[in-house]
Amino acid sequence: MNPVLTEPTGTTRRRRPRQKASTLSRPAAIGLGVGVTWFSILVLIPLALISFQAAGGGWGVFLETLGNAQTASAIGLTVRQALLVTLVNVVMGTLIAWVLVRDRFWGKRALEIIIDIPFALPTIVAGLVLLSLYGPESPLGVNVANTSHSVFLALLFVTLPFVVRAVEPVLMELEPEVEEAAASLGASTFTTWRRIILPSLAPSIASGATLSFARGISEYGSLVLLSGNLPFESEVASVRIFSYIENDNPAAASAVAVILLTVALAAIVTLNLISQRVTRHG
Amino acid sequence: MASHPTARGQRPTPATHARRALVLGYLFFLVVWPVSLVVTRTFGDGNHLAAALQDPAVVFAVQMTVVVAFWAVVINTVFGVGMSLLIVRYDFWGKSVLNTLLDLPLSVSPVVIGLALLLAYGPRDGYFAPVLDAIDLQVIFSVPGIIMATAFVSLPLVIREVVPVLQEIGTEQEQAARSLGAGGWQTFRRITLPSIRWALVYGVVLSLARSLGEFGAVKIVSGNISQQTQTATLVVEEKYLEFERGAAYATSFLLTLIAVAALVIVTVLRPKEERV
């Protein structure tokens, strides 16, 4: 990154037509250098070290860790519950967004705050309050503590806002006139939904679902008190990483972490592809 | 033909009421009732909050959390505003990759974040242990590590709020200021900062809420030592497991109060930003 690079005229090197030249001024270039250095110290190098640690043990450690029945079961449970929760979020999130945008009733403003509570509430507190209502001392008489249902419940709580917040702005842009036109031309409610509304909402639902899934597979704090972390029953991948760290086995911890990171990265790339498609068509 | 009955002042149909009831019921059982229990369990049988505030472990942890969150937010605000300006105002090689990577911390498990920092800065076999030894700086099991973990988890929040606003306001005013002879810092302080201030406040409040509540990453890098490296969220877990439920609920109550206050502030600020 050359700070004074402006017009490379007269050079023999051919620039690819789509690549833009750097427009950095000298102070901006210094700022960028400082920023990227800090970002590398804080985020990039530590995360890269996880991959090195996992790769350093060779495929042996990797396969051994994944071959461990308890670890495999934890990863399986995590992915299964995250997918299940994402499915519920796709339906309920879209419905909640619909009610927030199209319905009018007293106290709707409060709903906006309630939707965001899972974002702002510390995860350990989320686990504690869910345990109070759905644990052994439940006033409802429902006790899911220490079962796989508790994982489902905790993930449902922490991922609540993602689909709602992704769908809401798109729904606001959607003109009711188009639906009225469809209806006046004889389209049923179902047809209007399938042909008009759903195609416009699909990209935002997909991006919300991706975020919800990525958050679901990485959740830790809300589960420690609620799920009991029973092997083969309610132990998730993050808890498995944590016990590997406590047992001073960073290679195995890194192997599981690499799988979580890969899935998270895949989710981000998918998200970017979706938003690019939306921009192109929008 | 009633897919949007209340729009344009039409009468609500049974379907509208059904949807509304379903949504309200869902949110009540998933969020409202559980979260309200933190209040009833704190004040239901005696005032656990007053008792908890006499507990030195709780008081220490709350103070620790405030200090850590303060520094994490300061670091992320400076970094976030600088990065946002660079991303929006300049073109450079690798910009889109950097842009994607900046979102990474939101998708990484807190436990993985803790592990990553441990591998890099751990006291015994961390990658940078020799360097840290040489300058006599302890990161892991100490305050710098807790601040780093907290800054890591809330890193993109300011950027995500500021970037769209910067893109929207464009550069015309800044160019005008420049052509009238304003320097770079003056332009930033007089033109850029006022136009992004609500986005910045929003980003800072979100970062603060996230920083105060971090648990998993901090649990790993702090070593979780009572009255030395324990933060408020770690105290909640410890007190609960030690059957000091009152103290656990009281600390949770404080954290919930801050989280809800942050959300209310943000919700109140939002329309103001749109009105201007």
Side-chain angles (χ1 to χ4, degrees):
Chain A
M1 264 164 274
N2 187 341
V4 286
L5 182 80
T6 44
E7 272 298 290
T9 42
T11 52
T12 48
R13 203 184 297 167
R14 283 168 55 202
R15 274 191 293 132
R16 265 174 287 160
R18 284 185 60 187
Q19 197 162 344
K20 284 184 212 150
S22 164
T23 58
L24 289 172
S25 63
R26 191 180 283 272
I30 295 169
L32 183 65
V34 173
V36 170
T37 307
W38 168 245
F39 187 55
S40 306
I41 290 174
L42 186 67
V43 177
L44 296 182
I45 296 173
L47 285 183
L49 283 171
I50 289 185
S51 329
F52 290 146
Q53 179 81 47
W59 286 107
V61 173
F62 221 92
L63 291 177
E64 195 186 313
T65 310
L66 296 184
N68 179 312
Q70 193 182 342
T71 307
S73 150
I75 295 174
L77 174 76
T78 311
V79 173
R80 230 174 17 249
Q81 296 298 336
L83 278 176
L84 210 60
V85 161
T86 304
L87 213 64
V88 175
N89 278 333
V90 164
V91 177
M92 284 313 294
T94 311
L95 184 67
I96 294 170
W98 181 270
V99 168
L100 282 177
V101 173
R102 292 291 173 86
D103 204 349
R104 271 174 222 169
F105 51 92
W106 185 85
K108 208 178 80 172
R109 194 97 187 271
L111 279 196
E112 298 278 354
I113 293 175
I114 291 167
I115 298 287
D116 275 339
I117 282 182
F119 267 149
L121 201 69
T123 49
I124 186 77
V125 178
L128 182 68
V129 297
L130 289 173
L131 189 61
S132 314
L133 186 55
Y134 300 105
E137 290 161 37
S138 165
L140 279 170
V142 183
N143 184 3
V144 298
N146 308 338
T147 68
S148 63
H149 301 304
S150 67
V151 178
F152 177 77
L153 180 66
L155 297 190
L156 203 59
F157 182 91
V158 296
T159 60
L160 166 73
F162 290 105
V163 174
V164 181
R165 290 299 179 222
V167 170
E168 216 183 340
V170 182
L171 204 51
M172 275 188 221
E173 299 284 308
L174 213 65
E175 298 285 337
E177 280 80 5
V178 184
E179 295 153 42
E180 277 160 27
S184 71
L185 290 170
S188 67
T189 307
F190 177 72
T191 312
T192 313
W193 250 97
R194 196 169 59 86
R195 302 291 291 271
I196 312 275
I197 300 169
L198 216 50
S200 337
L201 294 187
S204 57
I205 294 178
S207 77
T210 316
L211 287 172
S212 150
F213 177 73
R215 175 67 203 266
I217 57 164
S218 60
E219 183 52 23
Y220 174 72
S222 61
L223 291 165
V224 288
L225 296 178
L226 185 62
S227 78
N229 310 321
L230 302 176
F232 301 105
E233 171 64 37
S234 60
E235 191 185 43
V236 296
S238 296
V239 173
R240 204 71 199 114
I241 298 175
F242 194 86
S243 18
Y244 276 132
I245 297 172
E246 281 197 318
N247 297 330
D248 214 10
N249 189 353
S254 303
V256 183
V258 161
I259 296 171
L260 285 191
L261 279 178
T262 313
V263 181
L265 256 179
I268 293 178
V269 171
T270 317
L271 185 67
N272 270 12
L273 287 178
I274 291 168
S275 61
Q276 272 169 22
R277 242 193 66 191
V278 177
T279 327
R280 260 211 310 280
H281 292 274
Chain B
M1 56 172 271
S3 59
H4 47 82
T6 52
R8 314 291 136 138
Q10 291 167 32
R11 289 189 65 79
T13 63
T16 318
H17 288 299
R19 274 194 295 264
R20 195 187 296 173
L22 185 58
V23 164
L24 290 176
Y26 184 75
L27 293 177
F28 178 75
F29 280 103
L30 188 60
V31 181
V32 177
W33 195 357
V35 173
S36 70
L37 282 179
V38 85
V39 182
T40 51
R41 296 276 161 101
T42 304
F43 299 107
D45 50 341
N47 188 343
H48 288 297
L49 184 62
L53 290 177
Q54 302 288 323
D55 185 334
V58 173
V59 173
F60 179 90
V62 170
Q63 283 170 343
M64 174 71 114
T65 297
V66 170
V67 169
V68 165
F70 171 79
W71 284 112
V73 168
V74 166
I75 292 169
N76 280 342
T77 305
V78 174
F79 174 83
V81 172
M83 271 296 164
S84 307
L85 281 169
L86 288 165
I87 286 171
V88 176
R89 295 285 187 259
Y90 298 94
D91 282 315
F92 48 87
W93 182 85
K95 190 168 99 166
S96 61
V97 176
L98 181 64
N99 210 352
T100 305
L101 287 175
L102 283 172
D103 267 345
L104 198 58
L106 288 185
S107 311
V108 179
S109 170
V111 178
V112 175
I113 293 172
L115 172 66
L117 292 173
L118 203 60
L119 289 176
Y121 305 105
R124 274 181 299 119
D125 27 40
Y127 188 78
F128 292 110
V131 185
L132 295 175
D133 267 350
I135 57 172
D136 200 22
L137 176 69
Q138 197 190 357
V139 173
I140 301 298
F141 308 136
S142 160
V143 179
I146 305 176
I147 293 176
M148 283 180 86
T150 308
F152 192 139
V153 296
S154 54
L155 182 110
L157 296 173
V158 169
I159 301 177
R160 287 162 69 106
E161 293 304 322
V162 172
V163 161
V165 178
L166 275 179
Q167 277 167 341
E168 201 173 306
I169 59 173
T171 55
E172 282 167 20
Q173 288 192 12
E174 286 169 29
Q175 277 167 355
R178 290 282 197 152
S179 72
L180 292 169
W185 171 246
Q186 208 180 359
T187 311
F188 173 74
R189 203 170 53 85
R190 305 284 288 269
I191 306 291
T192 316
L193 201 54
S195 39
I196 60 168
R197 66 172 183 272
W198 291 121
L200 193 57
V201 169
Y202 192 42
V204 165
V205 171
L206 286 180
S207 302
L208 190 67
R210 184 77 184 79
S211 299
L212 292 168
E214 180 43 33
F215 173 74
V218 168
K219 188 175 173 184
I220 292 171
V221 301
S222 73
N224 200 2
I225 309 158
S226 183
Q227 299 200 46
Q228 282 182 41
T229 60
Q230 209 170 37
T231 61
T233 49
L234 296 176
V235 147
V236 172
E237 186 198 18
E238 192 182 86
K239 293 291 180 192
Y240 189 85
L241 295 177
E242 285 176 354
F243 296 99
E244 291 183 46
R245 302 276 153 97
Y249 280 110
T251 314
S252 296
F253 172 76
L254 285 178
L255 290 167
T256 308
L257 205 62
I258 298 168
V260 173
L263 285 180
V264 171
I265 291 171
V266 162
T267 315
V268 170
L269 282 180
R270 259 279 154 90
K272 212 179 256 174
E273 175 194 340
E274 284 160 3
R275 239 181 278 139
V276 169

